[in-house]
Amino acid sequence: MRRPQRPSPTPDGTEPAPVRGNLPAELNTFVGRDADLAELDSLLGEFRLVTVVGVAGVGKSRITARAAALMEKRYCDGVWIAELSDVHDPGLLVHALVEALGLTDHTSRSPRAVLAEHCAERRLLLVIDGFEHLSGPCAELVRELLRRAPGLRVLAAGRRPLRVDGEVTFPLMPMTDDDALELLVRRASAVRPGFRPSDGERETARELCRRLDGIPLALELAAGRLRALTTEQVLHRLDDRFRLLTGGSPSALPRHQTLRTAIGWSHELCAPEQRLLWARLSVFAWQFDLEAVEYICSGPGLPADSVLDVLEELLTQSVVMREDSAAGSRYRLLDTVREYGAEWLRATGDAERLRRRHRDWYLGLATWCELDWFGPGQAKAAARIDSELPNLRRAMECSMENPEEVHLAQYLAGTLWFYWAGCGRLAEGRHWLDHVLEEESPYDHSRLKALWVLGYVAVLQGDPVGAVSALQECREEGERSGDATAVAYAVHRTGCLSIVTDDPARAEDLLREALGRYREIGELNSNVLMAQVELGMAVAFRGDLEAATVICDEVREICEDHGERWTLAYALYVLGYAALRAGLSGRARRMLAESLSITHAFHDLLGTVLSLELMALVTATEGDAAEAAVLQGAADRIWPSVGLPLFGSAHYGRPRAECEERARAQLGDARYDGERRSGLRLDTRAAVARALRADADEGAATADGDDARLDAGPGAAGTGSPGTGATGETRRPATSRTPGRGGPELG
């Protein structure tokens, strides 16, 4: 075998430096990816074969070349790169690697033997790029080289692993928001000298980067369009991104010159059933899980029992991404990949059928999560809906397109009441409820449910006019149609409205009526328990703290029996209020701390801010006026995200007014205002952490007398035990586990 020919001597007779690789020089600045480069450096120090995988255009080729260049000094025999995307004949694979390494041999030995013998004697790094279409032969060759060459390291870049023993896979994710923005600005500056986005333009540019998934190829192609268009114009044209994002560098590989060819290269490598699943997966918005895929995407050409295997192949080929979340293992397509699949789905003529299957699946999912909300599965139901919200939005949009299916959108918007009210989504819930009720439809169960949920959300937002309109319509039409469930909920939420509009006497009457109606229809769920909590609040506002305590203690017991946490938090809030009014500040603090922990875990901003408001008064009562002012400031920051502060209610507002009066008297106006401004700078997480930390510190010093006084109070006063007291309505409701609100008829 002949060694690579040595370069000719220089004119002065000295030997030139030996060639130590063939890495191309970078033509523009490498941006970001510091953590990824550090990780690759570490992996190549430990493993002999590292394969960088990722979706088309994510920057695999560029980062492997960059990583190799940074490690060049480690390899005395150089760093060599072999680009294989243009090699289509497996028989030419070895020749391509021989050529990349600059080997020449005029003997009769096979190129494979020449390559293996050359690598066996050397310490070098071999970079293999674009091998996807030759993954089998390439894996076999790499396996042989690694076995025969102990000093060889291989860094591969492709859309799937080689699947060679000892291989470690490095999934390359899209760029972070900051890195993506920097890349866009740098590349735009190259085509439009002096390009410096203003603050407003930077936000538009950030949105453009997010819409392009942080994919470097897409960002570079978009930057090229900034020669003629503004950032906003490029953003608005992304609905046709495959026509827009063309015109890459003529010197780039063909698959990197347009976004369509980059994604199309992946599509060509897929088997027919993989292409079919890819197209059908485009019906999802954002994330999805395996069960949804098996139901929605199975069908002609793709049996349900084959979906998992095909999905696994799309994961392997970096078409689908896996993400772990609080709701379990999830999958998603990047927007660009989804758009490509959507084009193919429309071409198959199957798009409408898939959209309906998607809609029906998420109707069922919402129904089951509503059932799970009343019980120990509350947190899991909340996490599931949170992760599925984009798909639920799409399901509502789908139902709104056909007048005959509007009732399904109304059913879905109403069924999600627990998410709108319990998980900090009042504003979005209001948007959807208003939207689905704009369309004319019969006053069936779905429309009536959407009406009482709209009334409930309006109450919580401090909008009495909107609440009265929706609840009155719900009650009247419910009575006309004989829908006892709708009437019970309308009466209940009207009672809730009376509390926040400072009519606790009427609230008590309506809430007792609603509880009676719930017992008649056998309803027991979080809403029913919330009616009891609200009854306790109304009774407390009327001055009967002992009766309020009896009512909410029973709610606490039922919640514990059923594993219900969300309503428990509000029961604890009322118990904290009653304890504070009874002079038991230590007890009140503990109740409110537990309430605050629960509501914050559910992202329930209303429950969180109510507890913070009352915790501020507890803090002032205990003598820490400065901390009380900070907590009031923190509450002030949260209220705009909820609605009208303290509902505009004098009863709910009285503790706040007392707290401010105490704190100002102790601190003076200037210091009070300064401490309150400090609270305004706290986000919700920091404010809750601060309040709970203060509770933990206070707990060690709390007197034991609070609990004894509270426990002795109601019984000693002769108000009776829970369930039989003077309030007359505190016995448990009927213990039906069903919410009495089944799913709608589909189709």
Side-chain angles (χ1 to χ4, degrees), residues 575-590:
L575 290 169
Y577 177 90
L580 179 59
R581 288 308 188 196
L584 309 176
S585 64
R587 174 82 169 183
R589 178 177 288 279
R590 290 195 296 279

Side-chain angles (χ1 to χ4, degrees), residues 386-518:
D386 202 49
S387 64
E388 298 288 11
L389 188 56
N391 286 305
L392 291 162
R393 291 169 181 151
R394 181 165 290 186
M396 283 187 276
E397 290 168 353
C398 176
S399 298
M400 291 296 290
E401 292 173 2
N402 184 342
E404 296 181 358
E405 296 179 343
V406 168
H407 70 287
L408 298 177
Q410 294 168 349
Y411 170 81
L412 185 50
T415 297
L416 292 173
W417 67 265
F418 63 94
Y419 187 68
W420 310 137
C423 300
R425 294 282 186 165
L426 289 174
E428 178 160 4
R430 183 67 181 269
H431 163 79
W432 283 111
L433 290 159
D434 282 335
H435 182 49
V436 300
L437 288 168
E438 285 174 355
E439 299 296 326
E440 293 294 330
S441 64
Y443 281 101
D444 62 4
H445 184 72
S446 296
R447 186 175 184 87
L448 294 176
K449 183 173 185 177
L451 280 168
W452 74 252
V453 175
L454 172 59
Y456 180 25
V457 169
V459 169
L460 299 181
Q461 289 183 313
D463 175 16
V465 175
V468 166
S469 175
L471 294 173
Q472 185 173 339
E473 183 180 352
C474 179
R475 180 167 187 171
E476 290 175 355
E477 293 299 331
E479 289 174 341
R480 185 186 59 77
S481 62
D483 191 329
T485 300
V487 174
Y489 278 94
V491 172
H492 170 191
R493 294 307 168 192
T494 305
C496 180
L497 175 63
S498 295
I499 299 177
V500 302
T501 53
D502 296 324
D503 191 351
R506 182 167 186 265
E508 185 177 347
D509 291 341
L510 288 168
L511 290 167
R512 291 187 190 283
E513 179 187 345
L515 287 167
R517 290 178 179 273
Y518 285 142

Side-chain angles (χ1 to χ4, degrees), residues 73 281 309 362 385 472 530 662:
K73 293 182 180 179
L281 289 175
D309 291 336
Y362 285 100
I385 295 298
Q472 185 173 339
M530 190 64 80
R662 281 175 178 264

